[in-house]
Amino acid sequence: MNLSAKPKYRGRLAPSPTGLLHLGHARTFWVAQERARANGGTLVLRNEDIDSTRFKLEFVPQMIEDLRWFGFEWQEGPDCGGAFGPYSQSERRSFYTAALEKLRAGGFVYPCTCSRKDIRNAASAPNAGDDEGPIYPGTCRNKNLSTLNPQLSTRFSWRFRVPDGETISFTDGNFGEQKFVAGKDLGDFVVWRHDDVPAYQLACAVDDAAMGITEVVRGADLLLSTARQILLYRALGLTTPAFYHCALMLDKNGKRLAKRHDALSLRALREQGKTPESLRRF
Ligand SMILES: [Zn+2]
């Protein structure tokens, strides 16, 4: 065995069944598929259905049908199995609880009882440049766990303590050198939610590592999340994959496409008689 050999390329598509897939997702996924093909690699389909408050079960078969219609072909997934399954996050809870346990044992996370409102009110805090909301002001950072009275069944989340002042850098396959400063560009982030659901950051990093993903291809809206996930890989002693972020598709008003743009859902485009071939041209 040649230990210096590069591991075989493994990429993934990781849609969440929270609505109809739209063209923006499909184009990012298409880049992922092209990169897996160009590298003679394997493409994994992972169903990110961890957040049962948001996803709808009936979207899963639709999502798989839409992906196939567009021309996606994956070698491992919830519909076809594979050596790294299960491929639906709702069936992988034991992976996430084990990771949380490791983070707790290592002192990387602390319980936080703040509500969203508390954080907004405390916040003179600037917003992180992405969907995570205001940078956490650190309210619960130095509270002792023992001050949480279990009898009160206080609901709390687990937050990851970022190394303030440290620059987290990585070379993105598309955008090149990226640098984010902990405590400034990103604050302490939730890894386990107060409703007892693993947060996206944790589930995603744990799965990419456990599924042997060598390159993560996804939208540029997740560049900052990559910095968070690099901290998680390090704390968990996991190998960090390579990253390739794609520019986001904008609507005609220059706004980012969201699931509410139903007119650009693959389903609607298909009903209008568009062909996958024409939609893949971009
Ligand atoms: Zn807090």
Side-chain angles (χ1 to χ4, degrees):
M1 196 172 121
N2 180 0
L3 289 173
S4 65
K6 250 178 102 180
K8 198 172 175 321
Y9 187 101
R10 287 176 60 82
R12 63 12 170 229
L13 313 175
S16 52
T18 53
L20 295 174
L21 275 182
H22 67 64
L23 191 55
H25 296 125
R27 288 183 169 175
T28 297
F29 292 159
W30 195 255
V31 175
Q33 173 159 299
E34 296 282 277
R35 291 186 64 78
R37 278 190 181 154
N39 286 284
T42 300
L43 192 64
V44 174
L45 176 66
R46 184 168 74 229
N47 172 23
E48 298 210 331
D49 61 351
I50 196 82
D51 186 354
S52 60
T53 59
R54 289 179 65 233
F55 87 88
K56 296 201 178 79
L57 205 59
E58 68 261 30
F59 280 130
V60 177
Q62 278 185 14
M63 183 174 84
I64 287 180
E65 196 200 313
D66 287 348
L67 289 168
R68 289 210 187 284
W69 173 76
F70 197 85
F72 290 106
E73 290 170 12
W74 50 92
Q75 290 75 52
E76 299 172 25
D79 56 331
C80 56
F84 294 81
Y87 292 93
S88 288
Q89 289 192 324
S90 58
E91 297 167 32
R92 298 178 63 80
R93 194 175 163 93
S94 60
F95 289 84
Y96 313 136
T97 51
L100 176 64
E101 201 38 62
K102 206 165 172 185
L103 292 173
R104 285 171 63 177
F108 292 103
V109 292
Y110 60 89
C112 167
T113 53
C114 300
S115 65
R116 273 173 193 276
K117 203 173 148 213
D118 292 337
I119 296 171
R120 262 200 318 272
N121 291 346
S124 53
N127 272 298
D130 68 357
D131 296 338
E132 285 267 323
I135 290 183
Y136 182 66
T139 322
C140 300
R141 240 192 185 196
N142 300 311
K143 279 187 193 160
N144 197 314
L145 180 57
S146 62
T147 62
L148 277 178
N149 184 346
Q151 254 89 53
L152 293 174
S153 68
T154 314
R155 283 155 72 89
F156 60 91
S157 54
W158 287 99
R159 264 184 205 276
F160 187 92
R161 189 190 307 267
V162 303
D164 280 347
E166 186 184 325
T167 300
I168 299 139
S169 55
F170 61 96
T171 306
D172 185 75
N174 190 25
F175 292 118
E177 200 60 18
Q178 302 293 309
K179 284 184 198 301
F180 298 102
V181 178
K184 181 168 161 279
D185 299 319
L186 62 146
D188 293 353
F189 55 92
V190 172
V191 296
W192 203 277
R193 295 172 8 181
H194 62 82
D195 57 352
D196 200 25
V197 174
Y200 163 76
Q201 309 295 351
L202 183 74
C204 179
V206 165
D207 285 346
D208 282 333
M211 293 179 177
I213 301 302
T214 60
E215 183 180 68
V216 172
V217 179
R218 58 187 176 192
D221 53 327
L222 291 168
L223 276 164
L224 248 179
S225 279
T226 294
R228 297 183 184 100
Q229 289 170 22
I230 285 171
L231 292 173
L232 285 175
Y233 285 113
R234 192 168 76 187
L236 292 166
L238 300 170
T239 304
T240 307
F243 292 95
Y244 187 104
H245 290 81
C246 302
L248 296 178
M249 191 179 164
L250 304 176
D251 68 12
K252 54 181 183 298
N253 302 314
K255 283 229 167 63
R256 197 172 119 190
L257 278 195
K259 286 185 182 174
R260 64 182 174 276
H261 286 78
D262 280 346
L264 285 170
S265 71
L266 295 189
R267 190 118 321 213
L269 293 165
R270 180 179 177 178
E271 277 158 13
Q272 289 162 29
K274 296 279 198 305
T275 64
E277 293 72 25
S278 71
L279 297 174
R280 292 200 298 253
R281 240 175 272 131
F282 61 95

